[in-house]
């Protein structure tokens, strides 16, 4: 900005904040999805929320993950039982044992909601 | 070392990546206008369907085996191709895209290059859901052969791990990259039937009979890199055309089509920073409809000085269609060619005309808006709005990665 005399802030300018830089760690492996249903209400994800799904992240217990199960994508919390077995859990839905019929494809580090 | 990375049934795999219900089922993708099969999943091939089959002829058979057909969703395929390219760029010192689903990766000689390749394959598949295979060799031609062989195994193959000559002995010469049907026939007449025969074809004869490109192929089969183009050369001409979904009879519709195809070509022209010194327009009827009168004709205009100014080129394309048009014919296709391309920046100044700075400014604005909001945001009025002759794609899947209304859902 040209003004009559030099700005004292010159040289200190930061880049404007960019949501992509904050929430999309790796664009080439990140996909946006839409949550349907109430299976994850207990962790704060509601029907209609935007899910930011990253296929490059390694799933860990307590991660929110996207899995292929029964011919569709499901969004669940990954849990590890005391015996070491992994399960996908949600509220109001039966838990899913992670075996050959299940494929975890992405981790969801962020979700986005439009407020009323 | 050269790695040839190639996606398996790319279009079909893109469709399946967003449809978990289609895992293990036959999936096919159709050509423009939903005419023929252009991509098939493994299950579809196993069921006897093939590229080039007419969709209407195999539709019932496809349904009977639980298969699904899709129109070509170029938006989706382009986005997935870009993602794969970005992933490969992060994993290799140099990447040269060859087509929408193939790339060459260049590595220095490495111990354990096959293990590196397996890691690349795993990463691409995990991060995109698209299965790929990788062939490893010292030349591009051999890496492509290795890739074909890799598909029969576990998806990664280095020529140094196999008896190469034994593999070349059962590999048809006609399938070798750079050998087309014409040279294949020529070679067969001379007893050169397999890739091994071709590898052993005397170089002087290759140079004499097969052109420089064929000679390069022979040398590459012998492990000597000879195919050029580490830097893709900008295209020397750009063609834009498509068949209409129905036969078109009116000049107004043809003018709209010519304007649209011309603009599409101009976008590519501007993207490679070239200018066209000539513009050609062709018009043709459907040559398979022998019951209808036939007409094919074309016209070429010189463009001086060479131009990348969309309004002027579109005007020429429309003029071309007007000159070619004959009433009473039902046209199937129009083509617009931009010819004799030269770099826009370095073209020689024409002594007699000066470029209008307003034209440059208008096009700069056009490029910026389309660059920011997507191609075809700004279009030329002559293209028409809401055309019913445009490409039929009735089985189009959602634009899962580029349209907010089309996001895949999770329950």
């Amino acid at each position: 900005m040209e003004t009559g005399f030099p700005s004292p802030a010159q040289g200190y300018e930061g880049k404007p904040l960019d949501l992509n830089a904050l929430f999309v760690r790796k664009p080439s492996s990140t996909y946006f999805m839409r949550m349907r249903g109430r299976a994850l209400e207990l962790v704060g994800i509601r029907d209609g929320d935007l899910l930011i799904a990253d296929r490059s992240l390694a799933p860990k217990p307590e991660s929110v993950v996207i899995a292929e199960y029964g011919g569709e994508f499901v969004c669940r919390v990954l849990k590890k039982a005391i015996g070491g077995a992994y399960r996908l859990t949600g509220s109001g839905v039966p838990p899913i044992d992670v075996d050959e019929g299940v494929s975890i494809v992405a981790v969801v580090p962020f979700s986005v909601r439009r407020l009323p | 070392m050269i790695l040839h990375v190639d996606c398996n049934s790319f279009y079909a795999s893109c469709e399946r990546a967003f449809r978990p219900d289609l895992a293990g089922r036959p999936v096919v993708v159709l050509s423009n206008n939903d005419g023929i099969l252009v991509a098939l999943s493994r299950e579809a091939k196993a069921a006897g369907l093939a590229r080039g089959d007419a969709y209407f002829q195999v539709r019932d058979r496809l349904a009977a085996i639980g298969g699904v057909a899709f129109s070509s969703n170029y938006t989706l395929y382009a986005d997935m191709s870009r993602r794969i390219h970005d992933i490969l760029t992060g994993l290799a010192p140099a990447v040269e895209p060859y087509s929408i689903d193939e790339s060459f990766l260049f590595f220095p000689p490495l111990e354990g290059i096959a293990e590196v390749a397996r890691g690349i394959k795993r990463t691409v598949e995990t991060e995109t859901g698209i299965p790929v295979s990788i062939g490893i060799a010292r030349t591009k031609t051999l890496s492509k052969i290795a890739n074909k062989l890799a598909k029969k195994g576990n998806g990664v193959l280095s020529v140094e791990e196999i008896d190469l000559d034994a593999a070349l002995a059962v590999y048809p010469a006609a399938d070798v990259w750079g050998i087309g049907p014409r040279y294949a026939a020529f070679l067969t007449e001379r007893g050169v039937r397999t890739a091994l025969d071709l590898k052993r074809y005397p170089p002087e004869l290759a140079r004499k009979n097969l052109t420089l490109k064929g000679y390069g192929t022979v040398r590459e089969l012998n492990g000597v890199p000879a195919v050029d183009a580490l830097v893709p050369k900008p295209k020397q001409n750009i063609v834009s055309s498509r068949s209409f979904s129905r036969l078109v009879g009116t000049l107004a519709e043809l003018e709209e089509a010519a304007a649209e195809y011309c603009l599409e070509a101009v976008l590519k022209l501007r993207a490679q920073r070239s200018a066209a010194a000539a513009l050609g327009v062709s018009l043709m009827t459907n040559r398979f409809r022998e019951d209808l009168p036939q007409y094919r004709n074309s016209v070429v205009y010189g463009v001086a000085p060479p131009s990348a100014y969309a309004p002027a080129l579109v005007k020429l394309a429309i003029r071309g269609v007007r000159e070619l048009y004959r009433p009473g014919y039902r046209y199937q296709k129009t083509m617009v060619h931009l010819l004799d391309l030269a770099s826009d920046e370095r073209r020689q100044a024409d002594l007699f005309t000066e470029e209008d700075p307003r034209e440059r400014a208008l096009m700069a604005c056009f490029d910026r808006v389309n660059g920011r909001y997507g191609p075809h945001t700004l279009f030329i009025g002559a293209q028409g709005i809401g055309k019913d002759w445009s490409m039929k794609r009735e089985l189009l899947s959602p634009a899962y990665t580029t349209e907010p209304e089309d996001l895949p859902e999770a329950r």
Side-chain angles (χ1 to χ4, degrees):
Chain A
M1 225 177 69
E2 296 243 346
T3 58
F5 42 81
S7 157
Q10 190 174 45
Y12 289 88
E13 302 92 343
K15 256 178 17 175
L17 290 173
D18 172 11
L19 286 180
N20 263 298
L22 291 174
F23 299 121
V24 178
R25 189 191 71 106
K26 200 176 180 208
S28 56
S29 63
T30 299
Y31 299 83
F32 299 139
M33 302 181 75
R34 189 69 65 190
M35 183 74 205
R36 284 282 161 245
R38 308 169 60 181
L40 284 187
E41 278 192 344
L42 279 182
V43 302
I45 299 177
R46 296 206 205 134
D47 179 274
D49 286 357
L50 182 74
L51 304 170
I52 300 182
D54 189 339
R55 295 185 70 125
S56 72
L57 295 176
K60 297 192 296 278
E62 306 309 317
S63 299
V64 173
V65 299
I66 303 288
E68 293 180 357
Y69 174 68
E72 57 176 9
F73 292 118
V74 297
C75 187
R76 298 282 189 273
V77 181
L78 181 66
K79 295 278 195 195
K80 189 171 180 184
I82 306 203
Y86 285 96
R87 302 173 110 195
L88 299 175
T89 64
S91 38
V93 288
I96 302 169
D97 293 321
V98 179
D99 56 26
E100 295 95 59
V102 180
S103 174
I104 297 176
V105 296
V107 172
V108 181
F110 298 103
S111 66
V112 183
R113 173 176 317 129
R114 171 188 289 285
L115 300 173
Chain B
M1 292 307 280
I2 298 181
L3 269 56
H4 180 248
V5 180
D6 166 281
C7 303
N8 303 343
S9 313
F10 182 57
Y11 291 178
S13 296
C14 284
E15 299 291 348
R16 276 228 276 231
F18 297 91
R19 291 283 304 271
D21 59 311
L22 295 180
R25 285 169 63 182
V27 171
V28 305
V29 178
L30 308 177
S31 62
N32 292 342
N33 284 320
D34 295 346
I36 61 173
L37 272 51
V38 295
L40 296 87
S41 71
R42 201 170 30 96
E43 302 80 6
K45 286 178 198 155
L49 300 169
R51 284 196 101 206
D53 285 351
Y55 175 55
F56 78 93
Q57 277 176 347
V58 301
R59 179 171 22 202
D60 292 337
R61 201 158 122 222
L62 184 65
I65 56 174
V68 177
F70 292 97
S71 304
S72 290
N73 188 343
Y74 296 112
T75 305
L76 179 67
Y77 310 150
D79 187 65
M80 297 305 281
S81 178
R82 175 190 60 84
R83 289 167 181 269
I84 292 175
H85 178 78
D86 289 348
I87 292 168
L88 294 177
T89 303
L91 296 174
V95 175
E96 181 190 315
Y98 178 68
S99 71
I100 195 172
D101 72 335
E102 294 173 71
S103 294
F104 292 104
L105 276 49
F106 299 88
F107 283 86
L110 268 185
E111 276 291 312
I113 184 78
E115 195 49 47
V116 170
R118 278 188 278 273
I120 292 174
K121 174 175 153 71
R122 255 191 322 268
T123 302
V124 172
E125 289 175 357
T126 301
E127 297 191 10
T128 66
I130 307 286
V132 301
S133 35
I134 304 185
I136 308 168
R138 288 180 195 275
T139 67
K140 285 183 181 177
T141 305
L142 284 174
S143 73
K144 285 194 72 140
I145 292 177
N147 194 316
K148 279 240 179 85
L149 300 174
K151 286 198 204 298
K152 299 187 189 151
N154 66 2
V156 174
L157 189 110
S158 167
V159 300
E160 314 211 327
E161 289 171 354
I162 59 168
D163 181 343
L164 179 59
D165 281 1
L168 295 179
V170 295
Y171 196 95
D175 289 353
V176 173
W177 188 45
I179 303 292
R182 195 162 52 119
Y183 288 117
F186 171 92
L187 290 167
T188 309
E189 280 170 32
R190 283 155 185 74
V192 177
R193 287 189 181 77
T194 69
L196 185 61
D197 295 335
L198 188 57
K199 174 178 172 179
R200 293 176 174 164
Y201 195 60
E204 329 79 59
L205 285 183
R207 206 193 316 238
K208 190 173 105 176
N209 296 326
L210 297 179
T211 77
L212 205 55
K213 189 165 157 203
Y215 170 67
T217 300
V218 172
R219 302 210 69 208
E220 290 233 326
L221 286 173
N222 282 282
V224 178
V227 168
D228 209 12
L230 189 50
V231 175
K233 291 196 278 279
K235 281 150 99 45
Q236 296 312 301
N237 63 71
I238 295 173
V239 180
S240 177
S241 89
R242 275 191 292 287
S243 296
F244 305 126
S245 58
R246 57 169 176 75
L247 298 179
V248 170
T250 71
L251 178 58
E253 287 171 310
L254 289 171
E255 287 177 351
E256 279 183 359
E260 168 153 334
Y261 300 157
C262 182
L263 189 64
E264 191 178 285
V266 170
L267 290 178
K268 291 184 194 165
L269 181 74
R270 299 190 65 79
Q272 64 176 55
R273 299 222 181 306
S274 301
L279 181 147
V281 182
S282 316
L283 194 56
M284 57 208 79
T285 55
N286 184 345
R287 64 195 157 99
F288 297 112
R289 289 292 304 272
E290 288 159 21
D291 55 310
L292 296 176
Q294 293 296 314
Y295 177 80
R296 302 174 75 86
N297 206 350
S298 53
V299 65
V300 178
Y301 303 103
V303 179
S307 170
Y309 184 58
L313 293 172
V314 167
K315 230 178 182 172
L316 262 188
I318 292 176
R319 184 174 139 201
V321 156
R322 279 196 195 133
E323 277 191 30
L324 295 171
Y325 177 74
R326 305 274 179 276
Y329 290 91
R330 314 273 304 288
Y331 298 97
Q332 203 210 12
K333 192 166 170 177
T334 183
M335 299 170 77
V336 175
H337 305 245
L338 298 178
L339 307 165
D340 280 352
L341 307 187
S343 157
D344 199 17
E345 277 114 25
R346 279 179 279 136
R347 62 195 164 89
Q348 293 173 354
D350 185 304
L351 288 176
F352 299 102
T353 65
E354 223 173 62
E355 197 194 8
D356 188 338
R358 290 174 304 172
E359 290 186 1
R360 239 196 212 282
L362 175 62
M363 290 314 295
C365 179
F366 179 82
D367 288 340
R368 265 207 316 280
V369 172
N370 276 347
R372 174 128 180 249
Y373 296 101
H376 312 301
T377 302
L378 288 183
F379 54 93
I380 292 203
Q383 278 174 261
I385 303 168
K387 305 147 284 215
D388 76 335
W389 50 259
S390 51
M391 190 165 63
K392 177 169 86 161
R393 289 191 295 170
E394 290 177 353
L395 300 169
L396 198 57
S397 57
Y400 297 109
T401 61
T402 51
E403 288 297 330
E405 308 83 50
D406 286 356
L407 299 186
E409 297 186 339
R411 281 176 199 289

